[in-house]
Amino acid sequence: MEREKLEFDVLFVGGGPANLAGAIHLKKLSQQQGKDIEICLIEKAVSIGTHALSGAVLDPRALRELLPDFKEKGCPIEETDLRDGIFYLTPGGQFRLPYTPPYMHNEGCFIISLSKFCTWLGAAAEELGVNIFPGFAGVEALYDETGRRVVGVRTGDKGVNKDGKPKSNFEPGVDLLAKVTVFGEGPKGSLIREVGKKLGIFDGRMPQVFETAVKEVIEIPSSSPFLRSPYTVLHTFGYPLGLNTKGGGFLYRMKENRVSLGLVVGLDYEDPMLEPYQEFLKFKKHPLIAEIIAGGKVLQQGAKTLAAGGWYSMPQLAADGALFVGDSASMLNVQRLKGIHTGMKSGMLAAETILAAIVKGDVSLATLGEYRSKVDGSWIRKELYAARNFGQALSQKGIAKFFSLGAQFFTGGRGLIDPMKSHDDANTLKPGLFRSPTPVQDLDGQLYLDKLTGVYLSGTKHEEDQPCHLLIPDKELCVTRCWQQFRSPCSRFCPGQVYEIELEEGGRPRLKLNPSNCLHCKTCEIKDPFKNIIWTCPEGGGGPSYSIV
Ligand code: SF4
């Protein structure tokens, strides 16, 4: 098939904060040096920001470096008065930790909505002359004749029916060619997965490790005690996950009597019956949270994974013709529960490397490899290296984690063992641990939602008549070994109710897929115990439609 080819100097794949910061910085630097660099940025969402979801407390360090006049330029900030409270939750009560570790202090940070923030960054990039193409999903990396140098990305065909046949509105994907391609697809990107396999960028690193979060923005009544609380930022641990499962809750104050509420669950959990969405509902029903949100209404819901592997999971950051930034490159600081600032800084360092490489006329690994030295010489390394064993310590069971965390606190992150090992999230479920599910009761469709109402409030939409974007190479395995050993955990870990198990006569399970519900969180590809789910990009423009989360 003849495909249109478009050529640019630099192609950014993904419209998250890392790539947007990279594109803005590159455009500004090149303009300062009187160079004309053609930049293209593609995003699979229908518009920039509508797939962006995070807590989100923003450390403005990178933003200040990128756009020092961000306030004058109307950067959307929800709250600047950040006062932290950390609580340990028991099933019916809580106590506040008398001491907040320095890395959990958020003074000077801002609460933002990441979707609004990315929309704003996208507009700033466009104003500088970056060519932004939303609604275009990168589906395949392109290589030169050696097969080792990345030369761009192919976008997905549009107008293909369920059987893979072109419809009347068929539009073939475009080959976007560039001297340098920057992959900033967020956690568990589908292109970086394939590039990684081909070029070996993950070889010799610790496994990529993830957490999954379910989050809501809730409008609370003006009588809510939270509006008169000494805290604007709450973090919790303990109930409902206990001390054997990594994760915890958060609640942040936003503008207009809104709060951002979420629960993060480490995907190295062992219990195949655990359902992150149900844990989130339990968290909401805890007295500390229930009292704050009583009488409120959920405005938007969403789910996303976090790349929580940290320093030792960071892949090779450059290849011939390519760089990797943000969550795709494991830049999140799990100790501070923040990755927007490190992602943005990584994009900016990538931009500086690219400009120098283009001026030199050499975009090989030998020159682009300078990006790694820049990361090593920046505050990204200082932050991530100090937290290099933090996530692994949290993964320990019971109170053992507190000994490890304590040792790390007094040794600058080294702790008792350095490096501490992390485990592939797909391999941690324990077979045979079955029990009947006990879903949270009394859902009211307003404040306490079932999964499908949550999907509705995420604004998720996909073209129905298109090939299923969830590839399951061995369907028989789903209803045999996976059912027998784990009772089909996909039907629980997916927050979008995409996977459902129906029992046929005789008790044989049947897997039913609802791919249109997909929130693009990637939990299924990460946690499937047989690695039998491959997430690919659906037709561009499909997916959630976040605007305030
Ligand atoms: Fe997330 Fe996978 Fe479910 Fe989509 S199908 S919502 S990516 S777990």
Side-chain angles (χ1 to χ4, degrees):
M1 180 194 308
E2 261 313 289
R3 288 179 188 275
E4 194 182 351
K5 289 186 170 50
L6 295 174
E7 284 192 41
F8 299 90
D9 293 308
V10 185
L11 170 64
F12 287 89
V13 183
N19 264 356
L20 288 166
I24 290 171
H25 196 50
L26 180 56
K27 206 70 193 175
K28 282 175 82 180
L29 286 177
S30 59
Q31 286 170 357
Q32 280 160 16
Q33 295 184 19
K35 308 263 182 309
D36 187 20
I37 302 259
E38 271 297 306
I39 302 173
C40 171
L41 184 147
I42 58 166
E43 162 58 44
K44 64 182 167 60
V46 72
S47 62
I48 299 289
T50 49
H51 285 186
L53 178 139
S54 166
V57 174
L58 170 74
D59 178 337
R61 192 171 185 180
L63 177 62
R64 278 204 181 95
E65 292 176 18
L66 180 72
L67 297 166
D69 55 349
F70 64 92
K71 282 192 182 155
E72 294 73 25
K73 284 191 150 62
C75 176
I77 293 170
E78 296 288 327
E79 179 65 67
T80 54
D81 174 22
L82 272 60
R83 288 168 275 128
D84 302 282
I86 304 180
F87 290 82
Y88 176 77
L89 304 187
T90 62
Q94 71 275 342
F95 62 84
R96 187 177 74 81
L97 257 58
Y99 173 72
T100 304
Y103 47 78
M104 293 294 285
H105 279 280
N106 285 306
E107 291 92 353
C109 296
F110 307 139
I111 294 166
I112 59 165
S113 143
L114 189 63
S115 49
K116 281 191 199 172
F117 183 67
C118 286
T119 304
W120 175 78
L121 281 177
E126 230 165 358
E127 206 172 293
L128 285 163
V130 176
N131 300 290
I132 297 195
F133 297 142
F136 283 86
V139 295
E140 188 184 341
L142 302 170
Y143 300 87
D144 72 356
E145 57 290 345
T146 67
R148 305 293 299 171
R149 186 167 82 86
V150 178
V151 295
V153 154
R154 176 166 296 165
T155 66
D157 298 338
K158 293 184 176 182
V160 178
N161 76 8
K162 269 192 169 54
D163 305 319
K165 304 253 166 43
K167 297 187 283 192
S168 57
N169 61 345
F170 176 74
E171 273 177 49
V174 179
D175 285 352
L176 299 170
L177 304 174
K179 291 174 186 145
V180 184
T181 304
V182 186
F183 293 89
E185 302 174 276
K188 201 69 181 175
S190 45
L191 287 177
I192 200 176
R193 175 187 65 219
E194 301 306 322
V195 174
K197 272 188 224 157
K198 189 172 175 87
L199 303 181
I201 63 168
F202 295 108
D203 294 354
R205 306 308 202 262
M206 290 268 197
Q208 300 294 300
V209 173
F210 299 90
E211 296 171 355
T212 199
V214 181
K215 182 197 166 179
E216 288 174 346
V217 171
I218 302 175
E219 189 171 61
I220 54 173
S222 45
S223 56
S224 167
F226 189 55
L227 298 175
R228 283 168 297 285
S229 146
Y231 313 108
T232 53
V233 172
L234 303 186
H235 284 118
T236 71
F237 65 108
Y239 183 84
L241 299 174
L243 293 180
N244 290 340
T245 300
K246 186 167 64 177
F250 63 84
L251 191 143
Y252 305 151
R253 196 162 84 186
M254 299 174 82
K255 275 185 195 160
E256 299 163 358
N257 289 1
R258 293 173 177 179
V259 292
S260 160
L261 176 76
L263 184 78
V264 178
V265 180
L267 286 179
D268 59 351
Y269 65 81
E270 295 180 346
D271 177 3
M273 305 308 285
L274 187 141
E275 182 162 358
Y277 191 85
Q278 290 294 327
E279 300 304 304
F280 173 63
L281 289 175
K282 287 183 205 163
F283 170 62
K284 282 179 76 175
K285 293 238 170 185
H286 185 275
L288 175 74
I289 305 301
E291 192 187 354
I292 290 172
I293 61 175
K297 180 179 180 212
V298 178
L299 301 179
Q300 214 161 77
Q301 192 189 88
K304 181 93 194 281
T305 44
L306 296 74
W311 186 254
Y312 288 127
S313 295
M314 195 179 279
Q316 182 184 311
L317 295 179
D320 287 322
L323 293 175
F324 311 100
V325 299
D327 279 355
S328 286
S330 207
M331 294 278 177
L332 182 134
N333 182 345
V334 70
Q335 190 182 49
R336 296 188 66 205
L337 297 167
K338 289 181 187 57
I340 302 169
H341 67 307
T342 42
M344 289 175 72
K345 180 69 178 173
S346 71
M348 293 164 70
L349 296 174
E352 291 165 22
T353 312
I354 291 166
L355 183 59
I358 289 181
V359 169
K360 193 175 163 194
D362 174 10
V363 293
S364 69
L365 175 59
T367 304
L368 292 180
E370 179 60 21
Y371 169 48
R372 175 75 209 206
S373 315
K374 283 185 188 293
V375 169
D376 286 344
S378 74
W379 50 258
I380 294 182
R381 181 189 191 276
K382 210 170 156 213
E383 271 200 26
L384 298 193
Y385 192 68
R388 62 196 180 279
N389 292 306
F390 191 83
Q392 297 90 310
L394 287 183
S395 290
Q396 291 190 304
K397 306 283 169 241
I399 58 168
K401 70 178 88 219
F402 297 113
F403 290 109
S404 290
L405 292 174
Q408 288 175 23
F409 185 77
F410 291 108
T411 56
R414 185 176 59 78
L416 303 171
I417 305 163
D418 184 20
M420 279 181 88
K421 274 186 117 172
S422 47
H423 301 283
D424 186 335
D425 296 324
N427 297 335
T428 57
L429 289 182
K430 297 262 183 273
L433 296 176
F434 305 140
R435 60 178 187 281
S436 298
T438 49
V440 173
Q441 300 298 314
D442 302 327
L443 307 184
D444 58 10
Q446 172 110 346
L447 182 58
Y448 296 100
L449 314 177
D450 59 23
K451 275 187 186 177
L452 287 183
T453 311
V455 170
Y456 174 73
L457 286 183
S458 71
T460 297
K461 279 197 195 102
H462 291 89
E463 166 58 52
E464 293 282 339
D465 188 15
Q466 64 170 305
C468 181
H469 69 283
L470 301 157
L471 311 184
I472 301 181
D474 185 350
K475 290 214 172 69
E476 186 59 20
L477 190 153
C478 300
V479 293
T480 52
R481 285 168 64 204
C482 192
W483 170 257
Q484 288 152 11
Q485 293 183 25
F486 303 108
R487 288 289 185 271
S488 305
C490 58
S491 60
R492 289 177 291 281
F493 56 57
C494 169
Q497 207 167 312
V498 170
Y499 304 90
E500 287 183 291
I501 290 290
E502 294 171 344
L503 292 180
E504 293 173 340
E505 247 176 72
R508 182 178 159 86
R510 190 174 76 84
L511 178 66
K512 182 178 159 229
L513 292 182
N514 310 302
S516 297
N517 291 357
C518 181
L519 300 163
H520 296 207
C521 72
K522 319 285 179 70
T523 305
C524 51
E525 178 167 319
I526 296 162
K527 192 59 185 166
D528 178 50
F530 294 97
K531 300 196 179 185
N532 191 30
I533 300 174
I534 302 165
W535 192 95
T536 63
C537 263
E539 189 171 298
S545 188
Y546 302 138
S547 59
I548 51 173
V549 291

